Amino acid sequence: MIFAIEEINNSTELLPGIKLGYQIYDSCASVPVAVHVAFQLSNGLDPVFYTGDNCSHSGMVKAVVGETGSTPSISMSRIIGPFNIPQVSHFATCACLSDKQQYPSFFRTVPSDQFQADALAQLVKHFGWTWIGAVRSDSDYGNNGMASFLDAANKEGICVEYSESFYWNHPRSKIKRVADVIRRSTAMVVVAFTSPGDLRILLEELSLEPSPPRQWIGSEAWVTDTDMRRFSFCAGAIGFGIQKSVIPGVRDFLLDLSPSKVAASPVLTEFWEDAFNCRLGKSAAINKRLCDGTEDIKTLQSPYTDTSQLRITNMVYKAVYAIAHAIHKAVCQKTNSTTQCDKFTRIESKEVLIQLKKVNFSRNGYDVSFDANGDPVARYDLVNWQKSESGSIKLVTVGHYDASLPVGQKFCINRNITWVDGGTHVSSPKAII
């Protein structure tokens, strides 16, 4: 988000002469915290966002990027929506958020789960799996997503042996019961519409008493999550993920961390101390040695420095740019070949909301626009967990789904797929489903 804002603030084409300010909050995946922030934003109680000399007036909130989850996004939207403050989420996928009667100011750069549910049903049908099990997060994301999938699966003639819900903070007895249902079932295929945090708890429970291998079918929230691939008994898992993308310059930006930058940010301080197992100054991590300045982030192998699998990151990037384009349309005029922006124009959030509905641009080869429901065109990568020669699990893109294409051309498989039992599905050069 900061990278995108700094790019925009240095641009001579988008909002020239105008600086965007920001405030970043960590909701800690907590609905009460997200609601508290939403009330702050609605009441205009935030401090001045941009403290530079060129700020024309104190920063009233024009738009919000977030939330990550569907449940906190729903809660926030109900609060800021009546104030016409646009909200652009990068990862809230619940199909329920497409309802403009309830969420009139909600947009997202990530596809609605309605498309994913349909795609998953087509995937299951294509491979002839007519007897399956289903597990889901007991949340807006899991419950709505699974309901859409079960409806689509029923239309495709797919039978479901069981459908179980659970949540990461449920008693272990509940998690164990779900695990036992999977162990005792005759369905060898399990469709999981869960968050990574929830599924992690279930897989840890399943690993205590190994059962016959199951073929896992995953939703986008967990199937591309790096940490989840430590569960090697899920090798062969397949599912739809947010498209992998490239953002030029973002790796250099991430590696440009000076000691002063790290020390000024509690988040970066915590990251630095954890990554290098040392403490900075008067840090609370008293059990660690003092950082001596020899730490080199460029040599660090971590999810922070790995920009080879940018998926959700690009959704954040596109959300920031969408808001910037909306503001640009509201305050800038193009005469001949020159763009003039009036930075003293006091625009209301409602004007940004109106312009957001019209945005249509391309950035780094990725299109950004919203339909009448505030949704983007649904495009996914079909990904497969394949074992490498070293035994570790790697994420391989084996196909694509594009909802904008005609029926019969939306879904293609163009690489071989490895299953949980070690078998391989050999693809033709371009198998269209």
Side-chain angles (χ1 to χ4, degrees):
M1 181 174 170
I2 297 172
F3 172 73
I5 290 172
E6 290 190 4
E7 253 191 359
I8 293 163
N9 285 346
N10 291 322
S11 172
T12 56
E13 296 179 358
L14 186 60
L15 292 172
I18 291 179
K19 301 289 185 184
L20 294 178
Y22 61 89
Q23 185 86 335
I24 296 177
Y25 294 90
D26 184 358
S27 69
C28 302
S30 164
V31 172
V33 174
V35 167
H36 176 73
V37 171
F39 275 119
Q40 269 193 301
L41 299 176
S42 301
N43 290 331
L45 297 179
D46 252 38
V48 174
F49 284 179
Y50 180 71
T51 55
D53 296 333
N54 298 326
C55 196
S56 57
H57 48 73
S58 65
M60 297 297 289
V61 175
K62 299 295 181 285
V64 176
V65 175
E67 234 266 1
T68 301
S70 293
T71 300
S73 289
I74 289 168
S75 301
M76 288 187 69
S77 188
R78 292 195 186 281
I79 295 167
I80 66 177
F83 295 95
N84 295 310
I85 299 174
Q87 174 184 359
V88 187
S89 174
H90 54 280
F91 207 41
T93 57
C94 180
C96 58
L97 284 160
S98 296
D99 184 347
K100 292 303 103 175
Q101 292 295 317
Q102 294 196 61
Y103 313 105
S105 67
F106 182 84
F107 302 79
R108 52 183 157 199
T109 50
V110 65
S112 161
D113 280 336
Q114 184 60 59
F115 296 100
Q116 181 178 196
D118 292 342
L120 285 170
Q122 290 180 40
L123 178 73
V124 171
K125 179 187 177 183
H126 175 70
F127 290 114
W129 296 320
T130 56
W131 184 242
I132 65 169
V135 294
R136 67 187 185 277
S137 291
D138 192 6
S139 64
D140 289 295
Y141 168 73
N143 291 327
N144 283 276
M146 183 56 75
S148 296
F149 168 75
L150 292 177
D151 182 55
N154 181 57
K155 292 175 182 175
E156 299 290 355
I158 298 163
C159 298
V160 180
E161 181 181 0
Y162 60 86
S163 180
E164 297 289 336
S165 67
F166 64 99
Y167 199 62
W168 66 270
N169 64 357
H170 281 172
R172 191 195 161 197
S173 58
K174 173 69 183 290
I175 306 297
K176 186 176 185 304
R177 190 191 68 77
V178 176
D180 286 339
V181 168
I182 296 172
R183 292 188 184 106
R184 292 194 301 263
S185 71
T186 57
M188 292 295 104
V189 175
V190 183
V191 175
F193 225 110
T194 71
S195 71
D198 292 337
L199 189 61
R200 188 177 299 116
I201 300 297
L202 179 61
L203 294 181
E204 285 172 353
E205 182 63 39
L206 282 169
S207 67
L208 299 177
E209 294 179 38
S211 62
R214 295 295 193 275
Q215 176 62 51
W216 289 86
I217 312 297
S219 62
E220 95 297 336
W222 70 267
V223 79
T224 58
D225 189 281
T226 305
D227 184 55
M228 297 302 295
R229 298 202 291 275
R230 62 190 171 94
F231 297 102
S232 57
F233 61 88
C234 292
I238 191 169
F240 291 101
I242 305 307
Q243 283 186 309
K244 187 167 70 171
S245 56
V246 175
I247 304 177
V250 75
R251 179 173 167 79
D252 292 337
F253 174 81
L254 292 172
L255 296 181
D256 183 24
L257 282 185
S258 64
S260 59
K261 274 186 184 178
V262 175
S265 166
V267 174
L268 290 177
T269 296
E270 184 179 347
F271 159 72
W272 193 270
E273 293 179 337
D274 182 59
F276 296 107
N277 197 29
C278 63
R279 60 186 172 88
L280 290 164
K282 299 178 180 179
S283 165
I286 56 175
N287 59 328
K288 295 181 178 179
R289 65 176 178 83
L290 199 64
C291 299
D292 57 15
T294 60
E295 299 79 24
D296 185 1
I297 193 170
K298 293 181 175 63
T299 64
L300 189 66
Q301 298 294 318
S302 81
Y304 177 85
T305 57
D306 181 11
T307 57
S308 66
Q309 292 283 340
L310 296 180
R311 297 179 188 272
I312 306 168
T313 306
N314 195 39
M315 299 298 105
V316 178
Y317 185 77
K318 293 202 293 187
V320 174
Y321 265 89
I323 292 169
H325 274 270
I327 295 173
H328 182 97
K329 289 285 188 182
V331 301
C332 302
Q333 298 290 331
K334 190 170 185 178
T335 51
N336 298 325
S337 59
T338 306
T339 300
Q340 296 290 331
C341 301
D342 184 359
K343 66 181 179 182
F344 295 105
T345 299
R346 188 178 181 89
I347 61 168
E348 300 295 328
S349 58
K350 186 175 183 178
E351 180 63 20
V352 181
L353 174 63
I354 293 169
Q355 295 299 334
L356 257 176
K357 296 176 182 179
K358 306 174 186 177
V359 296
N360 191 341
F361 64 94
S362 181
R363 181 73 187 171
N364 298 331
Y366 306 104
D367 297 330
V368 182
S369 63
F370 305 105
D371 65 15
N373 297 322
D375 293 327
V377 173
R379 296 186 177 96
Y380 299 100
D381 285 344
L382 180 64
V383 297
N384 182 214
W385 289 17
Q386 299 185 4
K387 275 194 175 179
S388 63
E389 293 180 0
S390 65
S392 62
I393 292 178
K394 60 182 179 179
L395 195 66
V396 179
T397 300
V398 295
H400 303 279
Y401 183 90
D402 186 339
S404 68
L405 296 177
V407 174
Q409 298 180 30
K410 298 178 186 292
F411 184 9
C412 78
I413 298 173
N414 50 25
R415 292 187 66 175
N416 293 349
I417 298 171
T418 301
W419 302 127
V420 65
D421 59 4
T424 302
H425 169 79
V426 180
S427 170
S428 60
K430 193 171 185 181
I432 301 292
I433 302 172

